[in-house]
Structures are given as C-alpha cells and as structure tokens.
Amino acid sequence: MFLLGLIDQLLFGGSLTVYGVLFLPVCALTALWVRGSDLLTAPVLVPIAFAVGLLPLADDGGGVAGRLMGLVTALATQAGWLYGGTLIAGVTVIVRRIRLVKRRRRGSPAGPAPAGPTGQA
C-alpha cells in the first residue's frame, strides 16, 4: 500500500479517491492469498496497510506534527474506503474459513477413533 501511495502521488497528484479504489482489490487479494492458518490476520492487517499507504499522500503542513495531522485528517475523511476494504477482507476470510472447516470435517472420521490392538482409542 505504501508503494501504491507513492505511485498515486506521482501519477495522480495524491488523489485519495484513486488510493481508496486501489485499496479495495488489495484487500480482496490479501484475504485470498493469506495462508489458511493466518486467515484471521487479514482483516487486522488491511487497516494498518491503509494507514501506512496514506503516509506519502497525507498533506504536509510542515514538520512531523503537520504530517501527523494530515494523516489523521486523511484517515478521518477516507474512513469509508477503509471500512469497505476491511469488510471485503473480513467476508472473504470468513468464507475461506468456513470452507476450510468443512474440508477438514469431511477428511476426518465422523465418529470416535477405532480402538487399537490394546483396546485403547
């Protein structure tokens, strides 16, 4: 997202709308590419990535305090894109998780494990 923020700054003059539109497919791809064991991290990571990507786009009012204020303002005004992307990642992860659980249930035996030669399960 930081790289997309830089590209947006160079090509589109720091358009927050372009950045938000680019953020949505990144959220979907992140939720699709994350490993099955790390599924729950995707909805947590995408808002962090959104904020990091805003760094080159935030208005620089002079110094660190001005940059921080620009970042907070950008986060506040672009919250719709942030919520939308997080929702996309969350729904995608939930669907993937449900499929993973169903696949695991089909692969394991339905009943208790059969008793071994010593009579223990």
Side-chain angles (χ1 to χ4, degrees):
M1 286 309 304
F2 185 77
L3 181 61
L4 280 178
L6 288 174
I7 291 170
D8 180 18
Q9 181 68 28
L10 291 173
L11 297 179
F12 302 105
S15 170
L16 293 175
T17 302
V18 170
Y19 178 75
V21 169
L22 292 174
F23 176 67
L24 299 179
V26 168
C27 291
L29 291 174
T30 300
L32 290 172
W33 284 340
V34 71
R35 293 182 312 177
S37 60
D38 295 332
L39 279 176
L40 299 179
T41 61
V44 174
L45 292 177
V46 293
I48 296 169
F50 185 83
V52 169
L54 280 177
L55 289 173
L57 301 175
D59 289 333
D60 187 8
V64 175
R67 176 68 71 171
L68 183 60
M69 186 57 78
L71 179 63
V72 169
T73 302
L75 283 169
T77 59
Q78 302 305 309
W81 295 112
L82 177 60
Y83 295 148
T86 305
L87 180 66
I88 289 170
V91 168
T92 305
V93 162
I94 288 171
V95 169
R96 285 189 60 201
R97 180 70 181 165
I98 290 170
R99 288 177 144 185
L100 182 67
V101 168
K102 284 183 179 181
R103 195 173 330 143
R104 284 183 183 165
R105 285 185 183 165
R106 273 187 260 141
S108 63
T118 61
Q120 297 177 352

PDB file of all heavy atoms in Angstrom, residues 58-92:
ATOM      1  N   ALA A  58      -0.591  12.060   2.681  1.00  0.00           N
ATOM      2  CA  ALA A  58      -1.077  12.997   3.693  1.00  0.00           C
ATOM      3  C   ALA A  58      -0.487  14.379   3.438  1.00  0.00           C
ATOM      4  O   ALA A  58       0.685  14.522   3.085  1.00  0.00           O
ATOM      5  CB  ALA A  58      -0.692  12.499   5.081  1.00  0.00           C
ATOM      6  N   ASP A  59      -1.327  15.391   3.624  1.00  0.00           N
ATOM      7  CA  ASP A  59      -0.866  16.768   3.459  1.00  0.00           C
ATOM      8  C   ASP A  59       0.239  17.058   4.456  1.00  0.00           C
ATOM      9  O   ASP A  59       0.137  16.718   5.634  1.00  0.00           O
ATOM     10  CB  ASP A  59      -2.014  17.749   3.671  1.00  0.00           C
ATOM     11  CG  ASP A  59      -3.024  17.716   2.542  1.00  0.00           C
ATOM     12  OD1 ASP A  59      -2.624  17.361   1.415  1.00  0.00           O
ATOM     13  OD2 ASP A  59      -4.193  18.034   2.787  1.00  0.00           O
ATOM     14  N   ASP A  60       1.272  17.686   3.959  1.00  0.00           N
ATOM     15  CA  ASP A  60       2.404  18.032   4.813  1.00  0.00           C
ATOM     16  C   ASP A  60       2.259  19.492   5.221  1.00  0.00           C
ATOM     17  O   ASP A  60       2.533  20.400   4.454  1.00  0.00           O
ATOM     18  CB  ASP A  60       3.714  17.814   4.054  1.00  0.00           C
ATOM     19  CG  ASP A  60       4.935  17.989   4.940  1.00  0.00           C
ATOM     20  OD1 ASP A  60       4.744  18.121   6.162  1.00  0.00           O
ATOM     21  OD2 ASP A  60       6.051  17.982   4.407  1.00  0.00           O
ATOM     22  N   GLY A  61       1.793  19.706   6.446  1.00  0.00           N
ATOM     23  CA  GLY A  61       1.607  21.062   6.940  1.00  0.00           C
ATOM     24  C   GLY A  61       2.878  21.640   7.520  1.00  0.00           C
ATOM     25  O   GLY A  61       2.869  22.705   8.109  1.00  0.00           O
ATOM     26  N   GLY A  62       3.981  20.950   7.382  1.00  0.00           N
ATOM     27  CA  GLY A  62       5.249  21.418   7.928  1.00  0.00           C
ATOM     28  C   GLY A  62       5.633  20.633   9.169  1.00  0.00           C
ATOM     29  O   GLY A  62       4.970  20.713  10.182  1.00  0.00           O
ATOM     30  N   GLY A  63       6.682  19.886   9.044  1.00  0.00           N
ATOM     31  CA  GLY A  63       7.204  19.130  10.176  1.00  0.00           C
ATOM     32  C   GLY A  63       6.428  17.866  10.472  1.00  0.00           C
ATOM     33  O   GLY A  63       5.511  17.477   9.751  1.00  0.00           O
ATOM     34  N   VAL A  64       6.830  17.259  11.565  1.00  0.00           N
ATOM     35  CA  VAL A  64       6.236  15.984  11.972  1.00  0.00           C
ATOM     36  C   VAL A  64       4.782  16.184  12.407  1.00  0.00           C
ATOM     37  O   VAL A  64       3.911  15.388  12.063  1.00  0.00           O
ATOM     38  CB  VAL A  64       7.066  15.347  13.107  1.00  0.00           C
ATOM     39  CG1 VAL A  64       6.404  14.085  13.623  1.00  0.00           C
ATOM     40  CG2 VAL A  64       8.471  15.039  12.638  1.00  0.00           C
ATOM     41  N   ALA A  65       4.521  17.245  13.154  1.00  0.00           N
ATOM     42  CA  ALA A  65       3.157  17.485  13.631  1.00  0.00           C
ATOM     43  C   ALA A  65       2.208  17.740  12.453  1.00  0.00           C
ATOM     44  O   ALA A  65       1.073  17.255  12.458  1.00  0.00           O
ATOM     45  CB  ALA A  65       3.131  18.668  14.591  1.00  0.00           C
ATOM     46  N   GLY A  66       2.674  18.468  11.446  1.00  0.00           N
ATOM     47  CA  GLY A  66       1.844  18.724  10.266  1.00  0.00           C
ATOM     48  C   GLY A  66       1.558  17.464   9.486  1.00  0.00           C
ATOM     49  O   GLY A  66       0.441  17.242   9.009  1.00  0.00           O
ATOM     50  N   ARG A  67       2.564  16.604   9.350  1.00  0.00           N
ATOM     51  CA  ARG A  67       2.385  15.320   8.649  1.00  0.00           C
ATOM     52  C   ARG A  67       1.422  14.436   9.424  1.00  0.00           C
ATOM     53  O   ARG A  67       0.556  13.789   8.836  1.00  0.00           O
ATOM     54  CB  ARG A  67       3.739  14.636   8.474  1.00  0.00           C
ATOM     55  CG  ARG A  67       3.718  13.258   7.852  1.00  0.00           C
ATOM     56  CD  ARG A  67       3.310  13.254   6.426  1.00  0.00           C
ATOM     57  NE  ARG A  67       4.361  13.832   5.613  1.00  0.00           N
ATOM     58  CZ  ARG A  67       4.367  13.821   4.299  1.00  0.00           C
ATOM     59  NH1 ARG A  67       3.380  13.248   3.657  1.00  0.00           N
ATOM     60  NH2 ARG A  67       5.315  14.387   3.616  1.00  0.00           N
ATOM     61  N   LEU A  68       1.560  14.400  10.736  1.00  0.00           N
ATOM     62  CA  LEU A  68       0.669  13.588  11.566  1.00  0.00           C
ATOM     63  C   LEU A  68      -0.775  14.094  11.468  1.00  0.00           C
ATOM     64  O   LEU A  68      -1.710  13.298  11.354  1.00  0.00           O
ATOM     65  CB  LEU A  68       1.138  13.596  13.022  1.00  0.00           C
ATOM     66  CG  LEU A  68       0.350  12.744  13.998  1.00  0.00           C
ATOM     67  CD1 LEU A  68       0.374  11.278  13.591  1.00  0.00           C
ATOM     68  CD2 LEU A  68       0.899  12.910  15.392  1.00  0.00           C
ATOM     69  N   MET A  69      -0.950  15.401  11.490  1.00  0.00           N
ATOM     70  CA  MET A  69      -2.295  15.968  11.368  1.00  0.00           C
ATOM     71  C   MET A  69      -2.887  15.659   9.991  1.00  0.00           C
ATOM     72  O   MET A  69      -4.070  15.355   9.876  1.00  0.00           O
ATOM     73  CB  MET A  69      -2.265  17.477  11.592  1.00  0.00           C
ATOM     74  CG  MET A  69      -3.644  18.087  11.628  1.00  0.00           C
ATOM     75  SD  MET A  69      -4.728  17.365  12.871  1.00  0.00           S
ATOM     76  CE  MET A  69      -4.136  18.161  14.324  1.00  0.00           C
ATOM     77  N   GLY A  70      -2.060  15.709   8.951  1.00  0.00           N
ATOM     78  CA  GLY A  70      -2.525  15.345   7.612  1.00  0.00           C
ATOM     79  C   GLY A  70      -2.933  13.883   7.537  1.00  0.00           C
ATOM     80  O   GLY A  70      -3.925  13.538   6.885  1.00  0.00           O
ATOM     81  N   LEU A  71      -2.180  13.010   8.217  1.00  0.00           N
ATOM     82  CA  LEU A  71      -2.506  11.585   8.237  1.00  0.00           C
ATOM     83  C   LEU A  71      -3.820  11.343   8.966  1.00  0.00           C
ATOM     84  O   LEU A  71      -4.677  10.587   8.482  1.00  0.00           O
ATOM     85  CB  LEU A  71      -1.373  10.795   8.892  1.00  0.00           C
ATOM     86  CG  LEU A  71      -1.568   9.289   9.010  1.00  0.00           C
ATOM     87  CD1 LEU A  71      -1.665   8.649   7.624  1.00  0.00           C
ATOM     88  CD2 LEU A  71      -0.444   8.673   9.802  1.00  0.00           C
ATOM     89  N   VAL A  72      -3.998  11.975  10.103  1.00  0.00           N
ATOM     90  CA  VAL A  72      -5.244  11.812  10.866  1.00  0.00           C
ATOM     91  C   VAL A  72      -6.434  12.334  10.060  1.00  0.00           C
ATOM     92  O   VAL A  72      -7.493  11.700  10.013  1.00  0.00           O
ATOM     93  CB  VAL A  72      -5.136  12.521  12.239  1.00  0.00           C
ATOM     94  CG1 VAL A  72      -6.482  12.590  12.928  1.00  0.00           C
ATOM     95  CG2 VAL A  72      -4.121  11.814  13.107  1.00  0.00           C
ATOM     96  N   THR A  73      -6.247  13.464   9.395  1.00  0.00           N
ATOM     97  CA  THR A  73      -7.324  14.024   8.569  1.00  0.00           C
ATOM     98  C   THR A  73      -7.662  13.084   7.415  1.00  0.00           C
ATOM     99  O   THR A  73      -8.838  12.844   7.115  1.00  0.00           O
ATOM    100  CB  THR A  73      -6.918  15.405   8.030  1.00  0.00           C
ATOM    101  OG1 THR A  73      -6.628  16.258   9.133  1.00  0.00           O
ATOM    102  CG2 THR A  73      -8.015  16.010   7.182  1.00  0.00           C
ATOM    103  N   ALA A  74      -6.633  12.551   6.766  1.00  0.00           N
ATOM    104  CA  ALA A  74      -6.862  11.621   5.651  1.00  0.00           C
ATOM    105  C   ALA A  74      -7.574  10.364   6.131  1.00  0.00           C
ATOM    106  O   ALA A  74      -8.486   9.858   5.464  1.00  0.00           O
ATOM    107  CB  ALA A  74      -5.549  11.267   4.970  1.00  0.00           C
ATOM    108  N   LEU A  75      -7.192   9.843   7.288  1.00  0.00           N
ATOM    109  CA  LEU A  75      -7.874   8.669   7.837  1.00  0.00           C
ATOM    110  C   LEU A  75      -9.334   8.976   8.152  1.00  0.00           C
ATOM    111  O   LEU A  75     -10.211   8.149   7.915  1.00  0.00           O
ATOM    112  CB  LEU A  75      -7.163   8.175   9.096  1.00  0.00           C
ATOM    113  CG  LEU A  75      -5.882   7.385   8.878  1.00  0.00           C
ATOM    114  CD1 LEU A  75      -5.151   7.202  10.197  1.00  0.00           C
ATOM    115  CD2 LEU A  75      -6.165   6.052   8.225  1.00  0.00           C
ATOM    116  N   ALA A  76      -9.593  10.157   8.662  1.00  0.00           N
ATOM    117  CA  ALA A  76     -10.962  10.519   9.011  1.00  0.00           C
ATOM    118  C   ALA A  76     -11.830  10.715   7.775  1.00  0.00           C
ATOM    119  O   ALA A  76     -12.987  10.288   7.743  1.00  0.00           O
ATOM    120  CB  ALA A  76     -10.966  11.793   9.848  1.00  0.00           C
ATOM    121  N   THR A  77     -11.270  11.338   6.748  1.00  0.00           N
ATOM    122  CA  THR A  77     -12.079  11.629   5.560  1.00  0.00           C
ATOM    123  C   THR A  77     -12.203  10.434   4.628  1.00  0.00           C
ATOM    124  O   THR A  77     -13.118  10.397   3.810  1.00  0.00           O
ATOM    125  CB  THR A  77     -11.496  12.822   4.782  1.00  0.00           C
ATOM    126  OG1 THR A  77     -10.153  12.517   4.382  1.00  0.00           O
ATOM    127  CG2 THR A  77     -11.515  14.083   5.621  1.00  0.00           C
ATOM    128  N   GLN A  78     -11.326   9.477   4.743  1.00  0.00           N
ATOM    129  CA  GLN A  78     -11.349   8.309   3.869  1.00  0.00           C
ATOM    130  C   GLN A  78     -11.790   7.042   4.602  1.00  0.00           C
ATOM    131  O   GLN A  78     -11.491   5.927   4.173  1.00  0.00           O
ATOM    132  CB  GLN A  78      -9.964   8.088   3.247  1.00  0.00           C
ATOM    133  CG  GLN A  78      -9.454   9.270   2.451  1.00  0.00           C
ATOM    134  CD  GLN A  78     -10.424   9.698   1.374  1.00  0.00           C
ATOM    135  OE1 GLN A  78     -10.887   8.890   0.581  1.00  0.00           O
ATOM    136  NE2 GLN A  78     -10.753  10.979   1.344  1.00  0.00           N
ATOM    137  N   ALA A  79     -12.498   7.203   5.698  1.00  0.00           N
ATOM    138  CA  ALA A  79     -12.919   6.057   6.507  1.00  0.00           C
ATOM    139  C   ALA A  79     -13.829   5.100   5.743  1.00  0.00           C
ATOM    140  O   ALA A  79     -13.807   3.894   5.988  1.00  0.00           O
ATOM    141  CB  ALA A  79     -13.616   6.539   7.777  1.00  0.00           C
ATOM    142  N   GLY A  80     -14.598   5.601   4.805  1.00  0.00           N
ATOM    143  CA  GLY A  80     -15.477   4.730   4.020  1.00  0.00           C
ATOM    144  C   GLY A  80     -14.699   3.693   3.230  1.00  0.00           C
ATOM    145  O   GLY A  80     -15.074   2.518   3.185  1.00  0.00           O
ATOM    146  N   TRP A  81     -13.609   4.127   2.605  1.00  0.00           N
ATOM    147  CA  TRP A  81     -12.759   3.177   1.869  1.00  0.00           C
ATOM    148  C   TRP A  81     -12.144   2.166   2.840  1.00  0.00           C
ATOM    149  O   TRP A  81     -12.058   0.975   2.536  1.00  0.00           O
ATOM    150  CB  TRP A  81     -11.651   3.899   1.123  1.00  0.00           C
ATOM    151  CG  TRP A  81     -12.118   4.797   0.044  1.00  0.00           C
ATOM    152  CD1 TRP A  81     -12.041   6.164   0.019  1.00  0.00           C
ATOM    153  CD2 TRP A  81     -12.732   4.412  -1.193  1.00  0.00           C
ATOM    154  NE1 TRP A  81     -12.573   6.638  -1.151  1.00  0.00           N
ATOM    155  CE2 TRP A  81     -13.008   5.589  -1.909  1.00  0.00           C
ATOM    156  CE3 TRP A  81     -13.088   3.191  -1.757  1.00  0.00           C
ATOM    157  CZ2 TRP A  81     -13.612   5.582  -3.162  1.00  0.00           C
ATOM    158  CZ3 TRP A  81     -13.694   3.187  -2.997  1.00  0.00           C
ATOM    159  CH2 TRP A  81     -13.952   4.358  -3.685  1.00  0.00           C
ATOM    160  N   LEU A  82     -11.726   2.651   3.988  1.00  0.00           N
ATOM    161  CA  LEU A  82     -11.110   1.781   4.986  1.00  0.00           C
ATOM    162  C   LEU A  82     -12.099   0.729   5.481  1.00  0.00           C
ATOM    163  O   LEU A  82     -11.783  -0.460   5.542  1.00  0.00           O
ATOM    164  CB  LEU A  82     -10.598   2.622   6.154  1.00  0.00           C
ATOM    165  CG  LEU A  82      -9.991   1.882   7.336  1.00  0.00           C
ATOM    166  CD1 LEU A  82      -8.795   1.052   6.902  1.00  0.00           C
ATOM    167  CD2 LEU A  82      -9.595   2.876   8.405  1.00  0.00           C
ATOM    168  N   TYR A  83     -13.311   1.161   5.813  1.00  0.00           N
ATOM    169  CA  TYR A  83     -14.322   0.212   6.275  1.00  0.00           C
ATOM    170  C   TYR A  83     -14.723  -0.761   5.165  1.00  0.00           C
ATOM    171  O   TYR A  83     -14.908  -1.952   5.415  1.00  0.00           O
ATOM    172  CB  TYR A  83     -15.564   0.938   6.787  1.00  0.00           C
ATOM    173  CG  TYR A  83     -15.327   1.767   8.017  1.00  0.00           C
ATOM    174  CD1 TYR A  83     -16.055   2.926   8.235  1.00  0.00           C
ATOM    175  CD2 TYR A  83     -14.382   1.419   8.969  1.00  0.00           C
ATOM    176  CE1 TYR A  83     -15.854   3.699   9.369  1.00  0.00           C
ATOM    177  CE2 TYR A  83     -14.172   2.181  10.093  1.00  0.00           C
ATOM    178  CZ  TYR A  83     -14.906   3.325  10.288  1.00  0.00           C
ATOM    179  OH  TYR A  83     -14.709   4.084  11.399  1.00  0.00           O
ATOM    180  N   GLY A  84     -14.862  -0.254   3.949  1.00  0.00           N
ATOM    181  CA  GLY A  84     -15.224  -1.120   2.825  1.00  0.00           C
ATOM    182  C   GLY A  84     -14.186  -2.189   2.560  1.00  0.00           C
ATOM    183  O   GLY A  84     -14.512  -3.363   2.360  1.00  0.00           O
ATOM    184  N   GLY A  85     -12.927  -1.800   2.556  1.00  0.00           N
ATOM    185  CA  GLY A  85     -11.855  -2.766   2.330  1.00  0.00           C
ATOM    186  C   GLY A  85     -11.749  -3.782   3.445  1.00  0.00           C
ATOM    187  O   GLY A  85     -11.529  -4.973   3.203  1.00  0.00           O
ATOM    188  N   THR A  86     -11.916  -3.325   4.677  1.00  0.00           N
ATOM    189  CA  THR A  86     -11.875  -4.243   5.816  1.00  0.00           C
ATOM    190  C   THR A  86     -13.051  -5.211   5.756  1.00  0.00           C
ATOM    191  O   THR A  86     -12.903  -6.401   6.057  1.00  0.00           O
ATOM    192  CB  THR A  86     -11.885  -3.453   7.137  1.00  0.00           C
ATOM    193  OG1 THR A  86     -10.807  -2.511   7.124  1.00  0.00           O
ATOM    194  CG2 THR A  86     -11.734  -4.371   8.322  1.00  0.00           C
ATOM    195  N   LEU A  87     -14.211  -4.728   5.327  1.00  0.00           N
ATOM    196  CA  LEU A  87     -15.374  -5.602   5.169  1.00  0.00           C
ATOM    197  C   LEU A  87     -15.130  -6.649   4.087  1.00  0.00           C
ATOM    198  O   LEU A  87     -15.442  -7.829   4.272  1.00  0.00           O
ATOM    199  CB  LEU A  87     -16.612  -4.773   4.840  1.00  0.00           C
ATOM    200  CG  LEU A  87     -17.912  -5.542   4.654  1.00  0.00           C
ATOM    201  CD1 LEU A  87     -18.337  -6.185   5.972  1.00  0.00           C
ATOM    202  CD2 LEU A  87     -19.004  -4.621   4.150  1.00  0.00           C
ATOM    203  N   ILE A  88     -14.548  -6.235   2.974  1.00  0.00           N
ATOM    204  CA  ILE A  88     -14.232  -7.191   1.902  1.00  0.00           C
ATOM    205  C   ILE A  88     -13.289  -8.269   2.409  1.00  0.00           C
ATOM    206  O   ILE A  88     -13.502  -9.462   2.187  1.00  0.00           O
ATOM    207  CB  ILE A  88     -13.625  -6.457   0.689  1.00  0.00           C
ATOM    208  CG1 ILE A  88     -14.694  -5.635  -0.022  1.00  0.00           C
ATOM    209  CG2 ILE A  88     -12.956  -7.432  -0.280  1.00  0.00           C
ATOM    210  CD1 ILE A  88     -14.145  -4.703  -1.085  1.00  0.00           C
ATOM    211  N   ALA A  89     -12.234  -7.844   3.108  1.00  0.00           N
ATOM    212  CA  ALA A  89     -11.277  -8.819   3.646  1.00  0.00           C
ATOM    213  C   ALA A  89     -11.943  -9.721   4.679  1.00  0.00           C
ATOM    214  O   ALA A  89     -11.727 -10.939   4.677  1.00  0.00           O
ATOM    215  CB  ALA A  89     -10.083  -8.097   4.264  1.00  0.00           C
ATOM    216  N   GLY A  90     -12.768  -9.158   5.536  1.00  0.00           N
ATOM    217  CA  GLY A  90     -13.431  -9.958   6.568  1.00  0.00           C
ATOM    218  C   GLY A  90     -14.376 -10.992   5.997  1.00  0.00           C
ATOM    219  O   GLY A  90     -14.364 -12.156   6.418  1.00  0.00           O
ATOM    220  N   VAL A  91     -15.202 -10.597   5.042  1.00  0.00           N
ATOM    221  CA  VAL A  91     -16.147 -11.542   4.428  1.00  0.00           C
ATOM    222  C   VAL A  91     -15.394 -12.636   3.674  1.00  0.00           C
ATOM    223  O   VAL A  91     -15.738 -13.821   3.777  1.00  0.00           O
ATOM    224  CB  VAL A  91     -17.134 -10.795   3.505  1.00  0.00           C
ATOM    225  CG1 VAL A  91     -17.928 -11.744   2.650  1.00  0.00           C
ATOM    226  CG2 VAL A  91     -18.058  -9.914   4.322  1.00  0.00           C
ATOM    227  N   THR A  92     -14.364 -12.256   2.947  1.00  0.00           N
ATOM    228  CA  THR A  92     -13.574 -13.237   2.196  1.00  0.00           C
ATOM    229  C   THR A  92     -12.921 -14.237   3.141  1.00  0.00           C
ATOM    230  O   THR A  92     -12.927 -15.448   2.891  1.00  0.00           O
ATOM    231  CB  THR A  92     -12.504 -12.535   1.344  1.00  0.00           C
ATOM    232  OG1 THR A  92     -13.136 -11.570   0.515  1.00  0.00           O
ATOM    233  CG2 THR A  92     -11.740 -13.517   0.490  1.00  0.00           C
TER     234      THR A  92
END
